[in-house]
Amino acid sequence: MIRKFLEELRARAFVRAVGVLVGGAGLAAAISALALPVLTRLYTPGDFSVLAVFTSLLSIFSVSACLRFDVAVAIPEKDGDAINVLGLALLCACAVSLMLFLAIFAVPSSVFRWFGQPDIERHLWLLPIGVLFVSAYSALQFWFVRGKSFGLIAKNRIVQTAGAAGVQAGWGWLHATPFGLVVGPVLNGAVGCCGLGCRFVRGVKTFEALSWSGMRAMFSQYHRFPKYSALEALCNVAAIQLPIVMIAAMAAHAEAGFLLLALTVMQAPMSILGSAIAQVYLSQAPAEYRLGRLGDFTVQVCGSLIRTGIGPLIFGGVLAPDLAAKVFGEEWRRAGTLMAWMTPWFAMQFLASPVSMALHVTNQQRFALLLQIFGLVLRVGAVVVVPAVLLSEAYAVSGLLFYGTYLVVVLMVVHSSWSGVARELLSSSKVVCIWAVLALGVKVGAAAFSLL
């Protein structure tokens, strides 16, 4: 009886935490969704191609700028240890940003022409600034994840999104140059970093524990993160972002812009539910692992993701080509076609990404690194070997293959019960089927109505 009561309390705490983060992420996603139709009418697909290259480079450099000590902030049991891990993360972020700043001004201009976007060179001075803000924000966010301050994270995310979208729209209305788009992700990171940073300085009472000896001790204890996890995260993001840079250079001038818009729309469910559940999963997974229940816990989380997110993804993917033309303008119809191609990929990513942290919780960083190297080779290889007219489609299919493999491996590592997996799939299938039938009904109905 007592055990059942405690399990119910844990379940309610998980749902409440997810609800808080989903509320914040949902409002942030709503702001982005309202801004996108405005931005697509203020800026051209070519402008979005410049943004695609810039955000890809920003993602690649920022994900490992903290050498993954940002992720490790949530793991120590003592706050004194955690603040030393946070100190390590911020020092690494500053060092990487400084080296990137020096490299950009040392590299000859001819190198930047490889990106296939003539306007990108004049905006690259923003890259190290963006890397510093985005990586520092990640480290601070994991500090508040550790303290389960999910309400603060949610509010901060809303302010970030509103500020970035407002600046992009305002600049587009005044000048309509790519700079207005490019400054958006930099400002997003800056606002988030300042918001959490001010709260951190006011609320932390363990500053006296921060020391060089403490950071050295934490570096020794969590050395696997820079050794394996940093390269793993770099491969993971490069597998997604590097093909975009390649497509921008190899395909038609605006293809990367269409691809970026499709990715932005398809990632909305990830930002609303996937990232929220990932943060809550990480906050509870270490305790579940110590109790020997990580396998069952992971299966339950996957089941929740299937019931809440896969159906809407399928619904949107079926209707995407027609909706994109109506919402963003007829010149963006190509983006809708790419959304349909990406639907299976994002459905699988929606399941795999939140629980991927299980490999870190179980100290399987080497295994995670090998998986990400496989993904990088698979996704870059898919873009290299296909004809130029199918680059984006090949990119989408490779995403499905990679995340499907990743999910199976995670379930094996945490020793999930395959009968439990089957039960979750069976119980969730009705919800997914309802969404699929509804999407087909809407599409057929719309086609019939257009013939009248």
Side-chain angles (χ1 to χ4, degrees), residues 296-333:
D296 293 339
F297 178 63
T298 301
V299 172
Q300 291 170 7
V301 171
C302 287
S304 299
L305 288 167
I306 294 173
R307 287 187 290 273
T308 54
I310 299 302
L313 267 173
I314 293 174
F315 182 86
V318 172
L319 302 178
D322 295 327
L323 284 177
K326 288 180 171 61
V327 173
F328 304 116
E330 186 61 36
E331 66 176 336
W332 293 94
R333 180 176 289 274

PDB file of all heavy atoms in Angstrom, residues 296-333:
ATOM      1  N   ASP A 296      11.613   0.306 -16.780  1.00  0.00           N
ATOM      2  CA  ASP A 296      10.160   0.499 -16.762  1.00  0.00           C
ATOM      3  C   ASP A 296       9.801   1.978 -16.884  1.00  0.00           C
ATOM      4  O   ASP A 296       8.839   2.343 -17.576  1.00  0.00           O
ATOM      5  CB  ASP A 296       9.570  -0.071 -15.472  1.00  0.00           C
ATOM      6  CG  ASP A 296       9.686  -1.589 -15.403  1.00  0.00           C
ATOM      7  OD1 ASP A 296       9.832  -2.210 -16.469  1.00  0.00           O
ATOM      8  OD2 ASP A 296       9.649  -2.141 -14.283  1.00  0.00           O
ATOM      9  N   PHE A 297      10.565   2.826 -16.215  1.00  0.00           N
ATOM     10  CA  PHE A 297      10.313   4.264 -16.265  1.00  0.00           C
ATOM     11  C   PHE A 297      10.465   4.791 -17.695  1.00  0.00           C
ATOM     12  O   PHE A 297       9.653   5.587 -18.174  1.00  0.00           O
ATOM     13  CB  PHE A 297      11.280   4.978 -15.321  1.00  0.00           C
ATOM     14  CG  PHE A 297      11.152   6.478 -15.316  1.00  0.00           C
ATOM     15  CD1 PHE A 297       9.984   7.089 -14.903  1.00  0.00           C
ATOM     16  CD2 PHE A 297      12.218   7.284 -15.714  1.00  0.00           C
ATOM     17  CE1 PHE A 297       9.859   8.478 -14.893  1.00  0.00           C
ATOM     18  CE2 PHE A 297      12.108   8.663 -15.702  1.00  0.00           C
ATOM     19  CZ  PHE A 297      10.925   9.261 -15.286  1.00  0.00           C
ATOM     20  N   THR A 298      11.478   4.316 -18.410  1.00  0.00           N
ATOM     21  CA  THR A 298      11.720   4.747 -19.787  1.00  0.00           C
ATOM     22  C   THR A 298      10.579   4.322 -20.703  1.00  0.00           C
ATOM     23  O   THR A 298      10.134   5.091 -21.562  1.00  0.00           O
ATOM     24  CB  THR A 298      13.058   4.181 -20.284  1.00  0.00           C
ATOM     25  OG1 THR A 298      14.114   4.638 -19.439  1.00  0.00           O
ATOM     26  CG2 THR A 298      13.344   4.619 -21.714  1.00  0.00           C
ATOM     27  N   VAL A 299      10.094   3.095 -20.535  1.00  0.00           N
ATOM     28  CA  VAL A 299       8.980   2.614 -21.357  1.00  0.00           C
ATOM     29  C   VAL A 299       7.726   3.444 -21.101  1.00  0.00           C
ATOM     30  O   VAL A 299       6.987   3.791 -22.032  1.00  0.00           O
ATOM     31  CB  VAL A 299       8.716   1.118 -21.077  1.00  0.00           C
ATOM     32  CG1 VAL A 299       7.427   0.661 -21.771  1.00  0.00           C
ATOM     33  CG2 VAL A 299       9.888   0.277 -21.560  1.00  0.00           C
ATOM     34  N   GLN A 300       7.471   3.783 -19.841  1.00  0.00           N
ATOM     35  CA  GLN A 300       6.302   4.607 -19.516  1.00  0.00           C
ATOM     36  C   GLN A 300       6.398   5.986 -20.167  1.00  0.00           C
ATOM     37  O   GLN A 300       5.400   6.517 -20.678  1.00  0.00           O
ATOM     38  CB  GLN A 300       6.173   4.742 -18.005  1.00  0.00           C
ATOM     39  CG  GLN A 300       5.796   3.448 -17.294  1.00  0.00           C
ATOM     40  CD  GLN A 300       5.917   3.564 -15.786  1.00  0.00           C
ATOM     41  OE1 GLN A 300       6.160   4.640 -15.253  1.00  0.00           O
ATOM     42  NE2 GLN A 300       5.770   2.433 -15.098  1.00  0.00           N
ATOM     43  N   VAL A 301       7.575   6.570 -20.146  1.00  0.00           N
ATOM     44  CA  VAL A 301       7.761   7.881 -20.779  1.00  0.00           C
ATOM     45  C   VAL A 301       7.529   7.784 -22.287  1.00  0.00           C
ATOM     46  O   VAL A 301       6.867   8.644 -22.883  1.00  0.00           O
ATOM     47  CB  VAL A 301       9.167   8.427 -20.476  1.00  0.00           C
ATOM     48  CG1 VAL A 301       9.459   9.670 -21.311  1.00  0.00           C
ATOM     49  CG2 VAL A 301       9.298   8.755 -18.997  1.00  0.00           C
ATOM     50  N   CYS A 302       8.039   6.743 -22.919  1.00  0.00           N
ATOM     51  CA  CYS A 302       7.826   6.555 -24.364  1.00  0.00           C
ATOM     52  C   CYS A 302       6.345   6.398 -24.683  1.00  0.00           C
ATOM     53  O   CYS A 302       5.846   6.946 -25.675  1.00  0.00           O
ATOM     54  CB  CYS A 302       8.608   5.335 -24.858  1.00  0.00           C
ATOM     55  SG  CYS A 302      10.394   5.584 -24.953  1.00  0.00           S
ATOM     56  N   GLY A 303       5.642   5.657 -23.840  1.00  0.00           N
ATOM     57  CA  GLY A 303       4.201   5.500 -24.046  1.00  0.00           C
ATOM     58  C   GLY A 303       3.465   6.826 -23.953  1.00  0.00           C
ATOM     59  O   GLY A 303       2.565   7.120 -24.754  1.00  0.00           O
ATOM     60  N   SER A 304       3.851   7.656 -22.988  1.00  0.00           N
ATOM     61  CA  SER A 304       3.237   8.981 -22.854  1.00  0.00           C
ATOM     62  C   SER A 304       3.510   9.837 -24.088  1.00  0.00           C
ATOM     63  O   SER A 304       2.638  10.572 -24.562  1.00  0.00           O
ATOM     64  CB  SER A 304       3.772   9.686 -21.609  1.00  0.00           C
ATOM     65  OG  SER A 304       3.458   8.961 -20.436  1.00  0.00           O
ATOM     66  N   LEU A 305       4.720   9.732 -24.618  1.00  0.00           N
ATOM     67  CA  LEU A 305       5.070  10.499 -25.815  1.00  0.00           C
ATOM     68  C   LEU A 305       4.254  10.061 -27.019  1.00  0.00           C
ATOM     69  O   LEU A 305       3.811  10.893 -27.827  1.00  0.00           O
ATOM     70  CB  LEU A 305       6.564  10.338 -26.102  1.00  0.00           C
ATOM     71  CG  LEU A 305       7.513  11.068 -25.146  1.00  0.00           C
ATOM     72  CD1 LEU A 305       8.946  10.584 -25.337  1.00  0.00           C
ATOM     73  CD2 LEU A 305       7.440  12.568 -25.363  1.00  0.00           C
ATOM     74  N   ILE A 306       4.045   8.745 -27.171  1.00  0.00           N
ATOM     75  CA  ILE A 306       3.259   8.250 -28.302  1.00  0.00           C
ATOM     76  C   ILE A 306       1.827   8.785 -28.221  1.00  0.00           C
ATOM     77  O   ILE A 306       1.262   9.259 -29.209  1.00  0.00           O
ATOM     78  CB  ILE A 306       3.250   6.705 -28.326  1.00  0.00           C
ATOM     79  CG1 ILE A 306       4.660   6.175 -28.603  1.00  0.00           C
ATOM     80  CG2 ILE A 306       2.279   6.193 -29.396  1.00  0.00           C
ATOM     81  CD1 ILE A 306       4.776   4.671 -28.486  1.00  0.00           C
ATOM     82  N   ARG A 307       1.242   8.726 -27.030  1.00  0.00           N
ATOM     83  CA  ARG A 307      -0.152   9.139 -26.875  1.00  0.00           C
ATOM     84  C   ARG A 307      -0.348  10.637 -27.062  1.00  0.00           C
ATOM     85  O   ARG A 307      -1.393  11.075 -27.547  1.00  0.00           O
ATOM     86  CB  ARG A 307      -0.672   8.708 -25.499  1.00  0.00           C
ATOM     87  CG  ARG A 307      -0.919   7.210 -25.376  1.00  0.00           C
ATOM     88  CD  ARG A 307      -1.589   6.858 -24.067  1.00  0.00           C
ATOM     89  NE  ARG A 307      -0.676   7.029 -22.933  1.00  0.00           N
ATOM     90  CZ  ARG A 307       0.156   6.090 -22.501  1.00  0.00           C
ATOM     91  NH1 ARG A 307       0.199   4.920 -23.123  1.00  0.00           N
ATOM     92  NH2 ARG A 307       0.942   6.303 -21.470  1.00  0.00           N
ATOM     93  N   THR A 308       0.642  11.419 -26.681  1.00  0.00           N
ATOM     94  CA  THR A 308       0.447  12.871 -26.706  1.00  0.00           C
ATOM     95  C   THR A 308       0.977  13.552 -27.967  1.00  0.00           C
ATOM     96  O   THR A 308       0.458  14.611 -28.345  1.00  0.00           O
ATOM     97  CB  THR A 308       1.142  13.520 -25.493  1.00  0.00           C
ATOM     98  OG1 THR A 308       2.526  13.119 -25.469  1.00  0.00           O
ATOM     99  CG2 THR A 308       0.493  13.089 -24.196  1.00  0.00           C
ATOM    100  N   GLY A 309       1.983  12.980 -28.625  1.00  0.00           N
ATOM    101  CA  GLY A 309       2.638  13.709 -29.694  1.00  0.00           C
ATOM    102  C   GLY A 309       2.623  13.110 -31.084  1.00  0.00           C
ATOM    103  O   GLY A 309       2.624  13.848 -32.077  1.00  0.00           O
ATOM    104  N   ILE A 310       2.606  11.788 -31.203  1.00  0.00           N
ATOM    105  CA  ILE A 310       2.735  11.170 -32.525  1.00  0.00           C
ATOM    106  C   ILE A 310       1.514  11.449 -33.392  1.00  0.00           C
ATOM    107  O   ILE A 310       1.633  11.734 -34.588  1.00  0.00           O
ATOM    108  CB  ILE A 310       2.968   9.649 -32.385  1.00  0.00           C
ATOM    109  CG1 ILE A 310       4.252   9.385 -31.605  1.00  0.00           C
ATOM    110  CG2 ILE A 310       3.039   8.998 -33.765  1.00  0.00           C
ATOM    111  CD1 ILE A 310       5.492   9.980 -32.209  1.00  0.00           C
ATOM    112  N   GLY A 311       0.324  11.373 -32.801  1.00  0.00           N
ATOM    113  CA  GLY A 311      -0.896  11.626 -33.574  1.00  0.00           C
ATOM    114  C   GLY A 311      -0.930  13.009 -34.194  1.00  0.00           C
ATOM    115  O   GLY A 311      -1.146  13.147 -35.418  1.00  0.00           O
ATOM    116  N   PRO A 312      -0.716  14.083 -33.410  1.00  0.00           N
ATOM    117  CA  PRO A 312      -0.690  15.416 -34.014  1.00  0.00           C
ATOM    118  C   PRO A 312       0.386  15.583 -35.075  1.00  0.00           C
ATOM    119  O   PRO A 312       0.184  16.303 -36.060  1.00  0.00           O
ATOM    120  CB  PRO A 312      -0.419  16.327 -32.804  1.00  0.00           C
ATOM    121  CG  PRO A 312      -0.982  15.581 -31.641  1.00  0.00           C
ATOM    122  CD  PRO A 312      -0.716  14.139 -31.947  1.00  0.00           C
ATOM    123  N   LEU A 313       1.536  14.920 -34.898  1.00  0.00           N
ATOM    124  CA  LEU A 313       2.577  14.985 -35.927  1.00  0.00           C
ATOM    125  C   LEU A 313       2.091  14.393 -37.245  1.00  0.00           C
ATOM    126  O   LEU A 313       2.313  14.971 -38.322  1.00  0.00           O
ATOM    127  CB  LEU A 313       3.823  14.227 -35.442  1.00  0.00           C
ATOM    128  CG  LEU A 313       4.905  15.031 -34.727  1.00  0.00           C
ATOM    129  CD1 LEU A 313       5.969  14.097 -34.166  1.00  0.00           C
ATOM    130  CD2 LEU A 313       5.532  16.052 -35.661  1.00  0.00           C
ATOM    131  N   ILE A 314       1.436  13.244 -37.170  1.00  0.00           N
ATOM    132  CA  ILE A 314       0.910  12.604 -38.382  1.00  0.00           C
ATOM    133  C   ILE A 314      -0.157  13.489 -39.026  1.00  0.00           C
ATOM    134  O   ILE A 314      -0.186  13.671 -40.253  1.00  0.00           O
ATOM    135  CB  ILE A 314       0.345  11.210 -38.048  1.00  0.00           C
ATOM    136  CG1 ILE A 314       1.491  10.278 -37.626  1.00  0.00           C
ATOM    137  CG2 ILE A 314      -0.421  10.625 -39.235  1.00  0.00           C
ATOM    138  CD1 ILE A 314       1.019   8.925 -37.135  1.00  0.00           C
ATOM    139  N   PHE A 315      -1.028  14.036 -38.205  1.00  0.00           N
ATOM    140  CA  PHE A 315      -2.081  14.920 -38.712  1.00  0.00           C
ATOM    141  C   PHE A 315      -1.477  16.106 -39.468  1.00  0.00           C
ATOM    142  O   PHE A 315      -1.877  16.425 -40.588  1.00  0.00           O
ATOM    143  CB  PHE A 315      -2.934  15.412 -37.537  1.00  0.00           C
ATOM    144  CG  PHE A 315      -4.076  16.301 -37.935  1.00  0.00           C
ATOM    145  CD1 PHE A 315      -5.294  15.757 -38.312  1.00  0.00           C
ATOM    146  CD2 PHE A 315      -3.938  17.678 -37.942  1.00  0.00           C
ATOM    147  CE1 PHE A 315      -6.356  16.577 -38.679  1.00  0.00           C
ATOM    148  CE2 PHE A 315      -4.982  18.506 -38.302  1.00  0.00           C
ATOM    149  CZ  PHE A 315      -6.205  17.951 -38.677  1.00  0.00           C
ATOM    150  N   GLY A 316      -0.483  16.741 -38.867  1.00  0.00           N
ATOM    151  CA  GLY A 316       0.149  17.880 -39.518  1.00  0.00           C
ATOM    152  C   GLY A 316       0.905  17.501 -40.768  1.00  0.00           C
ATOM    153  O   GLY A 316       0.890  18.236 -41.764  1.00  0.00           O
ATOM    154  N   GLY A 317       1.571  16.331 -40.739  1.00  0.00           N
ATOM    155  CA  GLY A 317       2.341  15.909 -41.901  1.00  0.00           C
ATOM    156  C   GLY A 317       1.479  15.641 -43.123  1.00  0.00           C
ATOM    157  O   GLY A 317       1.859  15.978 -44.249  1.00  0.00           O
ATOM    158  N   VAL A 318       0.312  15.048 -42.919  1.00  0.00           N
ATOM    159  CA  VAL A 318      -0.587  14.750 -44.039  1.00  0.00           C
ATOM    160  C   VAL A 318      -1.088  16.034 -44.697  1.00  0.00           C
ATOM    161  O   VAL A 318      -1.201  16.133 -45.927  1.00  0.00           O
ATOM    162  CB  VAL A 318      -1.774  13.891 -43.548  1.00  0.00           C
ATOM    163  CG1 VAL A 318      -2.822  13.746 -44.653  1.00  0.00           C
ATOM    164  CG2 VAL A 318      -1.288  12.509 -43.114  1.00  0.00           C
ATOM    165  N   LEU A 319      -1.376  17.044 -43.890  1.00  0.00           N
ATOM    166  CA  LEU A 319      -1.956  18.285 -44.409  1.00  0.00           C
ATOM    167  C   LEU A 319      -0.922  19.360 -44.736  1.00  0.00           C
ATOM    168  O   LEU A 319      -1.275  20.430 -45.234  1.00  0.00           O
ATOM    169  CB  LEU A 319      -2.954  18.849 -43.386  1.00  0.00           C
ATOM    170  CG  LEU A 319      -4.105  17.921 -42.983  1.00  0.00           C
ATOM    171  CD1 LEU A 319      -4.966  18.587 -41.932  1.00  0.00           C
ATOM    172  CD2 LEU A 319      -4.937  17.537 -44.193  1.00  0.00           C
ATOM    173  N   ALA A 320       0.361  19.085 -44.457  1.00  0.00           N
ATOM    174  CA  ALA A 320       1.397  20.123 -44.534  1.00  0.00           C
ATOM    175  C   ALA A 320       1.529  20.814 -45.889  1.00  0.00           C
ATOM    176  O   ALA A 320       1.634  22.057 -45.925  1.00  0.00           O
ATOM    177  CB  ALA A 320       2.742  19.530 -44.121  1.00  0.00           C
ATOM    178  N   PRO A 321       1.554  20.105 -47.013  1.00  0.00           N
ATOM    179  CA  PRO A 321       1.793  20.817 -48.285  1.00  0.00           C
ATOM    180  C   PRO A 321       0.771  21.925 -48.564  1.00  0.00           C
ATOM    181  O   PRO A 321       1.137  23.038 -48.958  1.00  0.00           O
ATOM    182  CB  PRO A 321       1.709  19.689 -49.331  1.00  0.00           C
ATOM    183  CG  PRO A 321       2.111  18.462 -48.575  1.00  0.00           C
ATOM    184  CD  PRO A 321       1.542  18.639 -47.209  1.00  0.00           C
ATOM    185  N   ASP A 322      -0.511  21.631 -48.359  1.00  0.00           N
ATOM    186  CA  ASP A 322      -1.539  22.635 -48.632  1.00  0.00           C
ATOM    187  C   ASP A 322      -1.547  23.732 -47.575  1.00  0.00           C
ATOM    188  O   ASP A 322      -1.733  24.910 -47.888  1.00  0.00           O
ATOM    189  CB  ASP A 322      -2.913  21.961 -48.702  1.00  0.00           C
ATOM    190  CG  ASP A 322      -3.023  21.000 -49.877  1.00  0.00           C
ATOM    191  OD1 ASP A 322      -2.394  21.287 -50.918  1.00  0.00           O
ATOM    192  OD2 ASP A 322      -3.703  19.978 -49.745  1.00  0.00           O
ATOM    193  N   LEU A 323      -1.347  23.341 -46.315  1.00  0.00           N
ATOM    194  CA  LEU A 323      -1.367  24.334 -45.239  1.00  0.00           C
ATOM    195  C   LEU A 323      -0.213  25.325 -45.360  1.00  0.00           C
ATOM    196  O   LEU A 323      -0.371  26.520 -45.086  1.00  0.00           O
ATOM    197  CB  LEU A 323      -1.302  23.634 -43.881  1.00  0.00           C
ATOM    198  CG  LEU A 323      -2.592  22.973 -43.403  1.00  0.00           C
ATOM    199  CD1 LEU A 323      -2.352  22.253 -42.081  1.00  0.00           C
ATOM    200  CD2 LEU A 323      -3.711  24.004 -43.253  1.00  0.00           C
ATOM    201  N   ALA A 324       0.969  24.842 -45.750  1.00  0.00           N
ATOM    202  CA  ALA A 324       2.140  25.720 -45.861  1.00  0.00           C
ATOM    203  C   ALA A 324       1.894  26.826 -46.885  1.00  0.00           C
ATOM    204  O   ALA A 324       2.248  27.996 -46.654  1.00  0.00           O
ATOM    205  CB  ALA A 324       3.374  24.912 -46.238  1.00  0.00           C
ATOM    206  N   ALA A 325       1.277  26.481 -48.010  1.00  0.00           N
ATOM    207  CA  ALA A 325       1.018  27.475 -49.042  1.00  0.00           C
ATOM    208  C   ALA A 325       0.030  28.535 -48.563  1.00  0.00           C
ATOM    209  O   ALA A 325       0.160  29.724 -48.876  1.00  0.00           O
ATOM    210  CB  ALA A 325       0.492  26.795 -50.301  1.00  0.00           C
ATOM    211  N   LYS A 326      -0.964  28.108 -47.783  1.00  0.00           N
ATOM    212  CA  LYS A 326      -1.982  29.048 -47.315  1.00  0.00           C
ATOM    213  C   LYS A 326      -1.465  29.918 -46.162  1.00  0.00           C
ATOM    214  O   LYS A 326      -1.783  31.107 -46.074  1.00  0.00           O
ATOM    215  CB  LYS A 326      -3.225  28.284 -46.876  1.00  0.00           C
ATOM    216  CG  LYS A 326      -4.022  27.679 -48.029  1.00  0.00           C
ATOM    217  CD  LYS A 326      -5.239  26.942 -47.517  1.00  0.00           C
ATOM    218  CE  LYS A 326      -6.147  26.521 -48.680  1.00  0.00           C
ATOM    219  NZ  LYS A 326      -5.472  25.618 -49.621  1.00  0.00           N
ATOM    220  N   VAL A 327      -0.677  29.328 -45.267  1.00  0.00           N
ATOM    221  CA  VAL A 327      -0.244  30.047 -44.069  1.00  0.00           C
ATOM    222  C   VAL A 327       0.951  30.948 -44.350  1.00  0.00           C
ATOM    223  O   VAL A 327       0.994  32.099 -43.905  1.00  0.00           O
ATOM    224  CB  VAL A 327       0.087  29.047 -42.939  1.00  0.00           C
ATOM    225  CG1 VAL A 327       0.698  29.770 -41.738  1.00  0.00           C
ATOM    226  CG2 VAL A 327      -1.159  28.294 -42.513  1.00  0.00           C
ATOM    227  N   PHE A 328       1.926  30.428 -45.097  1.00  0.00           N
ATOM    228  CA  PHE A 328       3.179  31.165 -45.286  1.00  0.00           C
ATOM    229  C   PHE A 328       3.277  31.874 -46.632  1.00  0.00           C
ATOM    230  O   PHE A 328       4.186  32.677 -46.839  1.00  0.00           O
ATOM    231  CB  PHE A 328       4.370  30.216 -45.129  1.00  0.00           C
ATOM    232  CG  PHE A 328       4.394  29.489 -43.818  1.00  0.00           C
ATOM    233  CD1 PHE A 328       4.277  28.115 -43.764  1.00  0.00           C
ATOM    234  CD2 PHE A 328       4.514  30.183 -42.630  1.00  0.00           C
ATOM    235  CE1 PHE A 328       4.286  27.444 -42.550  1.00  0.00           C
ATOM    236  CE2 PHE A 328       4.523  29.534 -41.409  1.00  0.00           C
ATOM    237  CZ  PHE A 328       4.407  28.153 -41.367  1.00  0.00           C
ATOM    238  N   GLY A 329       2.391  31.571 -47.531  1.00  0.00           N
ATOM    239  CA  GLY A 329       2.451  32.145 -48.868  1.00  0.00           C
ATOM    240  C   GLY A 329       2.752  31.061 -49.892  1.00  0.00           C
ATOM    241  O   GLY A 329       3.434  30.074 -49.597  1.00  0.00           O
ATOM    242  N   GLU A 330       2.246  31.250 -51.100  1.00  0.00           N
ATOM    243  CA  GLU A 330       2.361  30.209 -52.125  1.00  0.00           C
ATOM    244  C   GLU A 330       3.813  29.863 -52.454  1.00  0.00           C
ATOM    245  O   GLU A 330       4.123  28.719 -52.778  1.00  0.00           O
ATOM    246  CB  GLU A 330       1.640  30.671 -53.403  1.00  0.00           C
ATOM    247  CG  GLU A 330       1.559  29.616 -54.490  1.00  0.00           C
ATOM    248  CD  GLU A 330       0.783  28.376 -54.061  1.00  0.00           C
ATOM    249  OE1 GLU A 330      -0.202  28.512 -53.317  1.00  0.00           O
ATOM    250  OE2 GLU A 330       1.187  27.261 -54.462  1.00  0.00           O
ATOM    251  N   GLU A 331       4.730  30.844 -52.340  1.00  0.00           N
ATOM    252  CA  GLU A 331       6.129  30.562 -52.684  1.00  0.00           C
ATOM    253  C   GLU A 331       6.783  29.593 -51.688  1.00  0.00           C
ATOM    254  O   GLU A 331       7.871  29.085 -51.946  1.00  0.00           O
ATOM    255  CB  GLU A 331       6.939  31.861 -52.744  1.00  0.00           C
ATOM    256  CG  GLU A 331       7.084  32.581 -51.406  1.00  0.00           C
ATOM    257  CD  GLU A 331       7.962  33.807 -51.501  1.00  0.00           C
ATOM    258  OE1 GLU A 331       8.804  33.868 -52.427  1.00  0.00           O
ATOM    259  OE2 GLU A 331       7.814  34.710 -50.660  1.00  0.00           O
ATOM    260  N   TRP A 332       6.113  29.317 -50.555  1.00  0.00           N
ATOM    261  CA  TRP A 332       6.657  28.419 -49.546  1.00  0.00           C
ATOM    262  C   TRP A 332       6.053  27.015 -49.616  1.00  0.00           C
ATOM    263  O   TRP A 332       6.219  26.226 -48.694  1.00  0.00           O
ATOM    264  CB  TRP A 332       6.430  29.009 -48.150  1.00  0.00           C
ATOM    265  CG  TRP A 332       7.212  30.259 -47.900  1.00  0.00           C
ATOM    266  CD1 TRP A 332       6.799  31.541 -48.079  1.00  0.00           C
ATOM    267  CD2 TRP A 332       8.564  30.347 -47.447  1.00  0.00           C
ATOM    268  NE1 TRP A 332       7.799  32.431 -47.767  1.00  0.00           N
ATOM    269  CE2 TRP A 332       8.896  31.713 -47.369  1.00  0.00           C
ATOM    270  CE3 TRP A 332       9.529  29.393 -47.092  1.00  0.00           C
ATOM    271  CZ2 TRP A 332      10.141  32.172 -46.963  1.00  0.00           C
ATOM    272  CZ3 TRP A 332      10.769  29.845 -46.673  1.00  0.00           C
ATOM    273  CH2 TRP A 332      11.069  31.208 -46.613  1.00  0.00           C
ATOM    274  N   ARG A 333       5.359  26.670 -50.703  1.00  0.00           N
ATOM    275  CA  ARG A 333       4.742  25.338 -50.815  1.00  0.00           C
ATOM    276  C   ARG A 333       5.791  24.230 -50.722  1.00  0.00           C
ATOM    277  O   ARG A 333       5.530  23.148 -50.191  1.00  0.00           O
ATOM    278  CB  ARG A 333       3.968  25.229 -52.123  1.00  0.00           C
ATOM    279  CG  ARG A 333       3.284  23.871 -52.319  1.00  0.00           C
ATOM    280  CD  ARG A 333       2.443  23.843 -53.591  1.00  0.00           C
ATOM    281  NE  ARG A 333       1.256  24.667 -53.453  1.00  0.00           N
ATOM    282  CZ  ARG A 333       0.106  24.236 -52.917  1.00  0.00           C
ATOM    283  NH1 ARG A 333       0.012  22.984 -52.471  1.00  0.00           N
ATOM    284  NH2 ARG A 333      -0.928  25.039 -52.842  1.00  0.00           N
TER     285      ARG A 333
END
